[in-house]
Amino acid sequence: GSSSSQPSPPPPLPAPVEPNAVRNEGAPPPPEGLILGFQRPDGSLIRADFGVGHHQLGMDFRAGNVVDQVRRGSIAEAVGIQAGWRLMEVEGENLSGYPPLMVLTRVREAMLRFQDV
């Protein structure tokens, strides 16, 4: 009697490693575009994805980094930004307490990164 032994399955291939890729376990996927965080009048925080390639966001700010008006037909209007919301975050960086000029500079720098994608 000859007993045929099953061949053992080949070892699984190691997963390919992307160069320069930082992978955090359980981390959300990278955002598609420029993410700005706003505090609404009720105190809740909302994050809006402005996408890529925009040279104008279509928001005017008043003192305290509060949205004064949203221009018609702008990306800000399209993503649902409302007047009276306070800009709090740019790309996940909390900017509360920063002077308005620094906040707007941060927004512009972030916009530049997402213009030519």
Side-chain angles (χ1 to χ4, degrees), residues 1 4 6 9 46 52 54 57-59 64 68 81 93 102 111:
S4 60
Q6 290 283 329
I46 183 170
V52 300
H54 302 291
L57 297 181
M59 296 177 289
D68 191 42
I81 305 305
E93 181 184 6
M102 184 177 288
M111 281 175 68

Side-chain angles (χ1 to χ4, degrees), residues 16-70:
V17 176
E18 298 177 44
N20 301 331
V22 178
R23 289 273 179 264
N24 293 331
E25 288 304 313
E32 294 299 314
L34 171 61
I35 304 289
L36 299 181
F38 295 85
Q39 186 179 37
R40 292 184 282 202
D42 66 1
S44 61
L45 188 71
I46 183 170
R47 290 182 179 90
D49 187 340
F50 282 78
V52 300
H54 302 291
H55 295 265
Q56 294 284 324
L57 297 181
M59 296 177 289
D60 296 320
F61 291 95
R62 61 175 186 258
N65 305 316
V66 174
V67 178
D68 191 42
Q69 72 176 60
V70 178

Side-chain angles (χ1 to χ4, degrees), residues 59-67 86-88 90 95-109:
M59 296 177 289
D60 296 320
F61 291 95
R62 61 175 186 258
N65 305 316
V66 174
V67 178
R86 182 189 301 270
L87 179 61
M88 298 289 285
V90 176
L95 301 179
S96 61
Y98 280 41
L101 190 62
M102 184 177 288
V103 172
L104 293 180
T105 300
R106 283 281 200 277
V107 172
R108 289 210 177 88
E109 287 171 352

